[in-house]
Amino acid sequence: MKLSVIIVNYNVEHFLEQCLYSVEKAIVGIESEVWVVDNSSVDGSLAMLSDKFPWVKCIANTDNLGFSKANNQAIRLSKGEYVLLLNPDTIVESDTFSKTIDFMDSHPDGGGLGVKMIDGKGNFLPESKRGLPTPEVAFYKIFGLSKLFKKSKRFGKYHLTYLDKDETFEVDVLSGAFMMLRMETIEKVGMLDEDYFMYGEDIDLSYRITQGGYKNYYFSDTTIIHYKGESTKKGSLNYVFVFYNAMRIFARKHFSGKSKSFFISLINFAIYLRATLSIAKRFFQKTWLPVTDFVLIFLSMVFLKNYWENVAIFQKSNHFPDEFISIAVPIYIVIWLFSIYLANGYSKTSKPSKIVKGVLGGTLVILVLYALLPEQYRYSRAMIVFGATAMMAVSVLWRMFLNAVGVLKFSFGSDATRRFLVVGNHQEGQRVVDVLRRTSLNPDFIGVLTLENDKESLGTLAQISEIVTIYKINEVVFCSKDLSANEIIALMGTLHPHQLEYKIAPPGSLSIIGNNSINRSGDVYVIDKNAITNMKNRRNKRVLDVLVAFFFLITSPIFMWFSNPFRYFKNLISIFMGKKSWVGLDKTIDNEHFSLKEGVLFPTDGLPIKNLSSDLVEKANCVYTSDYKVDNDLMIIFKSLTKLGR
């Protein structure tokens, strides 16, 4: 057998489906086998495999074993002369395997091979070609010198940025996203090191390949799409700790003496530096808009107060006491800002109506509190009304200004500005149009560019660039049933100057996949799904958690005795602090993948059936995460009152 393809999957059903469609085309004419090792996914991946790809050999793990262990499971069973480690979030060209095998056959000194990778927007991924992260190279990388001097052979070694990405040459390190290995080499240097859970194992194996007397090659004559671009991972604290811990393992294993000590010290410094910068960046991204809103409305309230005192009615200074500006106004503004947040007014698709709704809700709360205050603290209802009006006007105008200068894009029409171009044959194109219309996208325009150039087509394929410009298209959907990966990648290259979003519709699937990351829910369009990763759902879930926790705190003399009182109050504290949620996934599931906190209760707690099989538990979790409703949480909570102290 010539080739064994190994794909490790963890909760990326739709990406895996698309990957396997491309692999199926690429293995035509090659004696091969395809392995999928599933690390205990709960998103329906196994059912999809059984239904659509019964020819794939599957290993279904009951735990998430990590990248190295899962790949090694399949490597031990593989029979191919070459073993390809392939990420599930990739799409290969139809001739990728034949080209890479031919190259390896003609280069018997090659132990491993990587290829040119682009992200979902057509941008070249620098991790396609890398140098060995020696202490010197790591130093240049950590302190940004490699980015400043990309063409320098000294400073640009980390991503070999001084070498042409369109040429083939030797490299030190291959990417685990596409890593073709000669089985003879694996038998000599060993499989993936299982000390690495994720990240670093590709560097370690690449290094051992060169130490074993073989060469690693970067092969530029084929291109694959790799959705999980490096830029989508670096903002994560988890990435910082996991990645640099992998570097620690590598240093301890392969370096010695002063070099080892220096490298580990450098890595420790990098962890603290990157973690601090990551926290600061995330804090700034979350708070800068509310902070600027606060400052602007505070200044507006000061102006209104002075105007109201000196011009409008009183015509005398200091009608309002100092406490009005120093205490009352900040409280009013905080209530308005929190109300705007609850109304989803701080999302990137913020509509003026959401801001107005939030301010009106906050104003109602302020007026109710105002009525309950003693007379000496009721400064002016008119100032509250004027302040609310100013809050609405200032917030909307500030966002319009930010939009105009391009500092940050806000879509005041939400999805109404989405304009799609579907590229494929007539029948498949119409099916994809139907899928788009049945999602919650509410697209403003969907045009079809048919390959047959029939009367319903917007034009010919040669005119695609002009069509995108004329119809102001911002998202292109390719039908993979009608277009090969080679053609899709070529079209992405043609359209690259337009800075578009790209999606790919697998044949017969109700999902449309694309963009630059597998970690964002907006990158997969699925019919009638209300994913828990949706920002509005996450916000509603948090508000519900706090409100229910208040209820159970007030009624604790009653409900605390339904279960363990100590754990009851411990769970309440954890929920108030944001460490837990009332409802989460089963403890055996990796909640972090779904951005869910640990749950006091589970989706299965709301079911009348006891002693559920693992398959039913998996399905219950899948339904809960893909179609979230606040009502479901309430139902689970009040059906499980005896488990609140779990």
Side-chain angles (χ1 to χ4, degrees):
M1 184 173 291
K2 198 69 176 177
L3 177 66
S4 296
V5 180
I6 300 174
I7 302 169
V8 175
N9 175 68
Y10 179 61
N11 288 315
V12 286
E13 172 195 352
H14 302 295
F15 289 90
L16 175 64
E17 177 187 0
Q18 182 133 275
C19 175
L20 287 172
Y21 277 124
S22 71
V23 168
E24 188 173 14
K25 294 178 180 178
I27 61 175
V28 173
I30 301 172
E31 187 184 3
S32 58
E33 60 181 356
V34 178
W35 290 88
V36 170
V37 185
D38 186 80
N39 270 338
S40 191
S41 297
V42 296
D43 64 344
S45 293
L46 291 175
M48 182 275 295
L49 278 173
S50 176
D51 180 44
K52 297 185 177 181
F53 305 98
W55 50 271
V56 170
K57 298 179 179 180
C58 181
I59 299 174
N61 292 322
T62 56
D63 296 302
N64 183 4
L65 301 183
F67 185 79
S68 296
K69 287 185 178 180
N71 270 302
N72 286 346
Q73 283 180 296
I75 290 174
R76 293 186 184 99
L77 301 173
S78 296
K79 300 175 181 177
E81 179 185 344
Y82 297 106
V83 172
L84 172 64
L85 309 184
L86 184 67
N87 270 24
D89 57 333
T90 58
I91 296 177
V92 300
E93 294 181 320
S94 57
D95 56 358
T96 292
F97 297 163
S98 59
K99 283 184 174 181
T100 50
I101 288 172
D102 287 346
F103 180 86
M104 291 291 279
D105 282 346
S106 62
H107 291 75
D109 60 346
L113 175 142
V115 297
K116 184 195 298 183
M117 299 188 295
I118 60 173
D119 65 20
K121 293 185 178 181
N123 302 309
F124 174 75
L125 290 174
E127 62 265 32
S128 302
K129 49 183 178 67
R130 288 181 291 175
L132 187 70
T134 62
E136 178 188 11
V137 172
F139 180 86
Y140 298 147
K141 169 68 174 173
I142 290 169
F143 289 96
L145 295 174
S146 60
K147 185 176 289 187
L148 287 174
F149 305 103
K150 293 182 179 180
K151 299 300 181 182
S152 167
K153 289 186 178 181
R154 177 167 186 169
F155 297 119
K157 288 181 180 178
Y158 189 83
H159 283 135
L160 304 177
T161 46
Y162 56 90
L163 295 176
D164 189 348
K165 67 179 185 297
D166 295 320
E167 294 182 3
T168 296
F169 41 77
E170 292 179 38
V171 292
D172 293 323
V173 176
L174 305 170
S175 170
F178 184 106
M179 199 172 191
M180 180 170 279
L181 306 166
R182 196 183 298 274
M183 181 62 83
E184 167 196 313
T185 305
I186 296 176
E187 291 170 350
K188 181 176 180 180
V189 305
M191 296 184 289
L192 295 169
D193 188 334
E194 296 183 3
D195 286 343
Y196 301 89
F197 183 80
M198 186 180 294
Y199 307 127
E201 62 283 308
D202 49 0
I203 299 175
D204 179 88
L205 182 54
S206 297
Y207 180 70
R208 284 189 281 122
I209 289 172
T210 58
Q211 293 298 296
Y214 296 93
K215 294 179 180 178
N216 293 316
Y217 285 99
Y218 165 74
F219 183 68
S220 64
D221 289 347
T222 188
T223 303
I224 71 167
I225 299 173
H226 181 208
Y227 287 112
K228 195 174 182 180
E230 189 173 280
S231 61
T232 65
K233 301 180 291 184
K234 289 183 178 177
S236 164
L237 272 178
N238 181 61
Y239 168 78
V240 171
F241 289 113
V242 174
F243 178 77
Y244 283 106
N245 185 57
M247 291 297 96
R248 271 203 203 106
I249 296 171
F250 183 80
R252 291 192 182 108
K253 183 176 178 181
H254 296 295
F255 296 133
S256 59
K258 293 182 179 179
S259 177
K260 175 180 176 179
S261 300
F262 174 73
F263 198 8
I264 291 176
S265 298
L266 186 63
I267 289 169
N268 289 332
F269 172 77
I271 289 174
Y272 290 115
L273 176 64
R274 294 293 299 275
T276 301
L277 292 176
S278 178
I279 293 170
K281 180 181 178 181
R282 293 177 69 180
F283 179 78
F284 177 77
Q285 289 174 335
K286 294 286 186 182
T287 61
W288 75 269
L289 187 56
V291 167
T292 54
D293 280 345
F294 185 98
V295 172
L296 290 172
I297 190 58
F298 183 82
L299 294 175
S300 301
M301 290 290 285
V302 171
F303 171 80
L304 287 170
K305 174 248 183 190
N306 293 334
Y307 178 81
W308 193 245
E309 285 181 329
N310 300 318
V311 180
I313 294 180
F314 302 109
Q315 296 184 347
K316 63 178 181 178
S317 299
N318 303 322
H319 171 77
F320 294 102
D322 293 340
E323 291 78 11
F324 175 71
I325 288 295
S326 63
I327 298 176
V329 168
I331 291 174
Y332 296 163
I333 297 173
V334 168
I335 292 173
W336 280 323
L337 293 177
F338 184 67
S339 187
I340 291 175
Y341 170 78
L342 293 179
N344 207 22
Y346 284 109
S347 66
K348 290 185 178 181
T349 55
S350 178
K351 294 181 180 179
S353 60
K354 293 179 181 178
I355 296 170
V356 171
K357 180 180 177 181
V359 174
L360 290 178
T363 304
L364 181 62
V365 172
I366 293 170
L367 290 174
V368 170
L369 295 175
Y370 181 91
L372 299 175
L373 292 172
E375 185 68 32
Q376 65 267 31
Y377 298 119
R378 299 180 194 174
Y379 299 113
S380 172
R381 287 189 180 88
M383 284 299 298
I384 294 174
V385 174
F386 290 153
T389 305
M391 184 80 196
M392 288 184 274
V394 168
S395 297
V396 173
L397 289 173
W398 177 228
R399 284 156 179 74
M400 291 176 66
F401 171 77
L402 292 172
N403 221 17
V405 298
V407 172
L408 194 61
K409 291 185 179 180
F410 289 92
S411 177
F412 288 93
S414 187
D415 292 325
T417 58
R418 290 182 186 257
R419 299 179 66 83
F420 291 88
L421 177 66
V422 178
V423 183
N425 287 330
H426 177 79
Q427 184 176 357
E428 181 68 1
Q430 291 303 317
R431 187 191 71 81
V432 172
V433 168
D434 182 56
V435 170
L436 287 171
R437 294 202 183 281
R438 290 166 62 193
T439 63
S440 59
L441 294 172
N442 188 28
D444 182 54
F445 172 83
I446 303 179
V448 180
L449 178 58
T450 62
L451 304 180
E452 305 100 322
N453 302 325
D454 58 29
K455 61 181 180 180
E456 295 185 21
S457 178
L458 295 180
T460 66
L461 198 59
Q463 298 172 311
I464 189 169
S465 185
E466 291 82 356
I467 290 169
V468 164
T469 302
I470 293 170
Y471 290 92
K472 299 180 180 178
I473 301 297
N474 46 41
E475 294 200 36
V476 178
V477 182
F478 299 108
C479 301
S480 64
K481 180 180 180 180
D482 307 319
L483 291 162
S484 68
N486 305 55
E487 293 171 317
I488 292 172
I489 290 171
L491 287 170
M492 288 170 65
T494 300
L495 296 172
H496 193 261
H498 293 277
Q499 297 296 305
L500 302 168
E501 300 287 337
Y502 301 105
K503 301 288 184 294
I504 300 177
S509 177
L510 297 182
S511 64
I512 298 175
I513 305 158
N515 215 324
N516 194 35
S517 168
I518 66 171
N519 293 328
R520 297 185 353 224
S521 59
D523 295 335
V524 181
Y525 300 156
V526 185
I527 291 177
D528 296 328
K529 292 290 183 181
N530 187 32
I532 200 166
T533 51
N534 180 285
M535 185 60 70
K536 182 179 179 181
N537 286 338
R538 293 173 66 180
R539 184 179 298 113
N540 290 343
K541 184 173 176 63
R542 177 58 183 156
V543 171
L544 177 70
D545 281 343
V546 174
L547 292 177
V548 172
F550 270 119
F551 172 78
F552 283 125
L553 180 64
I554 295 169
T555 58
S556 58
I558 300 172
F559 289 107
M560 63 184 286
W561 303 110
F562 284 26
S563 56
N564 185 308
F566 174 76
R567 291 179 181 172
Y568 178 92
F569 283 107
K570 185 178 180 181
N571 286 335
L572 285 179
I573 293 170
S574 295
I575 287 170
F576 281 126
M577 294 179 67
K579 294 182 178 179
K580 281 187 178 182
S581 175
W582 282 116
V583 183
L585 299 186
D586 189 280
K587 291 181 180 178
T588 60
I589 305 301
D590 185 357
N591 297 345
E592 186 177 346
H593 176 81
F594 295 96
S595 300
L596 289 183
K597 300 181 180 73
E598 179 185 350
V600 176
L601 306 170
F602 311 133
T604 50
D605 288 325
L607 300 177
I609 309 171
K610 305 302 178 184
N611 301 319
L612 295 169
S613 67
S614 59
D615 183 56
L616 289 176
V617 171
E618 179 180 311
K619 289 180 179 178
N621 281 286
C622 184
V623 170
Y624 180 78
T625 56
S626 62
D627 191 17
Y628 176 76
K629 293 182 177 66
V630 169
D631 292 351
N632 288 343
D633 273 11
L634 288 171
M635 182 270 293
I636 293 168
I637 292 167
F638 288 103
K639 280 190 175 183
S640 311
L641 295 176
T642 59
K643 300 177 182 178
L644 300 181
R646 176 186 280 168

Short mmCIF file of all heavy atoms in Angstrom, two decimals, residues 99 139 176 219 256 276 287 292 310 336 407 503 565:
data_model
loop_
_atom_site.label_atom_id
_atom_site.label_comp_id
_atom_site.label_asym_id
_atom_site.label_seq_id
_atom_site.Cartn_x
_atom_site.Cartn_y
_atom_site.Cartn_z
N LYS A 99 1.18 14.34 -6.31
CA LYS A 99 2.36 15.18 -6.46
C LYS A 99 3.36 14.97 -5.33
O LYS A 99 4.58 14.87 -5.56
CB LYS A 99 1.95 16.66 -6.51
CG LYS A 99 1.36 17.11 -7.83
CD LYS A 99 1.08 18.61 -7.81
CE LYS A 99 0.62 19.13 -9.17
NZ LYS A 99 0.36 20.60 -9.15
N PHE A 139 14.65 33.66 20.65
CA PHE A 139 14.88 35.02 21.16
C PHE A 139 14.40 36.06 20.14
O PHE A 139 13.69 37.01 20.48
CB PHE A 139 16.36 35.22 21.48
CG PHE A 139 16.70 36.59 22.01
CD1 PHE A 139 16.59 36.87 23.36
CD2 PHE A 139 17.11 37.59 21.14
CE1 PHE A 139 16.90 38.12 23.85
CE2 PHE A 139 17.42 38.86 21.61
CZ PHE A 139 17.32 39.13 22.98
N GLY A 176 2.30 20.06 11.67
CA GLY A 176 1.46 18.90 11.95
C GLY A 176 0.15 18.90 11.21
O GLY A 176 -0.55 17.88 11.17
N PHE A 219 7.31 21.66 0.14
CA PHE A 219 6.94 21.41 -1.26
C PHE A 219 5.90 22.44 -1.69
O PHE A 219 4.79 22.49 -1.15
CB PHE A 219 6.38 19.99 -1.38
CG PHE A 219 6.03 19.57 -2.78
CD1 PHE A 219 7.02 19.37 -3.73
CD2 PHE A 219 4.70 19.35 -3.15
CE1 PHE A 219 6.69 18.96 -5.03
CE2 PHE A 219 4.37 18.95 -4.42
CZ PHE A 219 5.37 18.75 -5.37
N SER A 256 21.15 20.88 26.09
CA SER A 256 21.88 20.56 27.32
C SER A 256 22.74 21.75 27.73
O SER A 256 22.97 22.68 26.95
CB SER A 256 22.77 19.32 27.11
OG SER A 256 23.71 19.56 26.06
N THR A 276 0.70 38.24 30.00
CA THR A 276 0.35 39.60 30.42
C THR A 276 -0.21 40.39 29.25
O THR A 276 -1.24 41.08 29.38
CB THR A 276 1.59 40.32 30.99
OG1 THR A 276 2.09 39.57 32.10
CG2 THR A 276 1.24 41.72 31.44
N THR A 287 -13.27 46.37 27.05
CA THR A 287 -13.67 47.54 27.84
C THR A 287 -13.53 48.89 27.17
O THR A 287 -14.12 49.86 27.63
CB THR A 287 -12.85 47.58 29.15
OG1 THR A 287 -11.44 47.70 28.84
CG2 THR A 287 -13.08 46.32 29.97
N THR A 292 -15.11 54.49 26.73
CA THR A 292 -15.27 55.73 25.96
C THR A 292 -16.72 56.21 26.01
O THR A 292 -16.97 57.41 26.06
CB THR A 292 -14.84 55.53 24.50
OG1 THR A 292 -15.54 54.40 23.93
CG2 THR A 292 -13.35 55.29 24.39
N ASN A 310 -27.70 77.19 34.47
CA ASN A 310 -27.36 78.57 34.13
C ASN A 310 -28.18 79.19 33.02
O ASN A 310 -28.24 80.41 32.90
CB ASN A 310 -25.87 78.66 33.75
CG ASN A 310 -24.98 78.22 34.89
OD1 ASN A 310 -25.23 78.56 36.04
ND2 ASN A 310 -23.94 77.45 34.57
N TRP A 336 -27.02 52.43 32.64
CA TRP A 336 -27.28 52.50 31.19
C TRP A 336 -26.33 51.58 30.42
O TRP A 336 -26.76 50.86 29.52
CB TRP A 336 -27.10 53.94 30.70
CG TRP A 336 -28.29 54.82 30.97
CD1 TRP A 336 -29.60 54.48 30.90
CD2 TRP A 336 -28.25 56.20 31.35
NE1 TRP A 336 -30.39 55.55 31.21
CE2 TRP A 336 -29.59 56.64 31.48
CE3 TRP A 336 -27.24 57.13 31.58
CZ2 TRP A 336 -29.94 57.94 31.84
CZ3 TRP A 336 -27.58 58.43 31.94
CH2 TRP A 336 -28.90 58.83 32.07
N VAL A 407 -11.73 52.69 12.28
CA VAL A 407 -11.07 52.19 13.49
C VAL A 407 -11.63 50.83 13.87
O VAL A 407 -10.91 49.90 14.23
CB VAL A 407 -11.26 53.19 14.66
CG1 VAL A 407 -10.74 52.58 15.96
CG2 VAL A 407 -10.55 54.49 14.36
N LYS A 503 -16.65 30.74 1.69
CA LYS A 503 -17.27 29.57 2.30
C LYS A 503 -17.30 28.46 1.24
O LYS A 503 -17.29 28.74 0.04
CB LYS A 503 -18.70 29.86 2.76
CG LYS A 503 -18.83 30.98 3.77
CD LYS A 503 -18.32 30.56 5.12
CE LYS A 503 -18.54 31.63 6.18
NZ LYS A 503 -17.79 32.86 5.95
N PRO A 565 -25.99 20.95 52.09
CA PRO A 565 -26.01 22.42 52.29
C PRO A 565 -24.67 23.08 51.99
O PRO A 565 -24.63 24.17 51.41
CB PRO A 565 -26.39 22.56 53.77
CG PRO A 565 -27.08 21.28 54.11
CD PRO A 565 -26.41 20.22 53.29
#
